[in-house]
Every structure is written in structure tokens, then in C-alpha cells.
Amino acid sequence: MRVVADIPNPNMKVTLLAWNGKYLIKLEKGSFEQTYKIGEMDVMGDEGAKALLDEEFMEATLNRFNDMRDAFVSTIRRNG
């Protein structure tokens, strides 16, 4: 697995990786993680993969992290 880029973001850690014919967009916030896989043939190289990380996508992933946290806190409260 090759690290293509660490993408600066104030809200989460963003890493673009290349592995086995795919790009992996790995997003981490606290103890939560999201990973998206894109075929290398579906984008125009490293820059094409980076271009997917536009403002709308990043906002949606941040909202998803908030939903993940809320779901996890809720299950801890119910079952902890």
C-alpha cells in the first residue's frame, strides 16, 4: 500500500492511498473511520483522485462522522 498524499483538513485526518489497482480515501476522526475505494481506471491519476475530495463530499463525510458518533453514544447508553 502506497501513501499518495496526506490531505490537510482541520476536521479530520485525510489520507489518499493506492493499493491493488484502487485508490483508497481514508478519513479518520477520533475513533471512527470511513474508507472509500475507487478504481484507478475511474479517475485520471493521483490528481483525479484528489479532485474527488471537494467541499460537498468533505461536508457529507463530516456529517456521517457525527451520525456515527451519535449512534455509538446511543448504543452505549442503552447497553452500557
Side-chain angles (χ1 to χ4, degrees):
M1 189 171 303
R2 173 177 67 93
V3 174
V4 174
D6 289 313
I7 312 294
N9 186 288
N11 300 306
M12 65 190 94
K13 181 178 179 189
V14 181
T15 309
L16 179 63
L17 305 149
W19 179 69
N20 203 23
K22 296 185 186 322
Y23 285 105
L24 284 75
I25 299 169
K26 183 176 177 183
L27 307 152
E28 300 172 81
K29 184 170 177 75
S31 59
F32 301 104
E33 182 177 303
Q34 299 175 48
T35 303
Y36 298 84
K37 297 177 184 176
I38 305 109
E40 287 182 352
M41 303 303 279
D42 295 333
V43 293
M44 298 296 288
D46 296 356
E47 293 306 313
K50 289 178 192 176
L52 297 174
L53 307 176
D54 64 12
E55 186 175 334
E56 188 174 335
F57 175 75
M58 297 308 289
E59 184 176 333
T61 62
L62 187 57
N63 290 337
R64 195 162 295 112
F65 275 126
N66 292 333
D67 291 343
M68 292 168 72
R69 182 200 62 228
D70 292 347
F72 191 67
V73 167
S74 292
T75 196
I76 293 292
R77 288 183 180 154
R78 285 190 312 273
N79 299 293

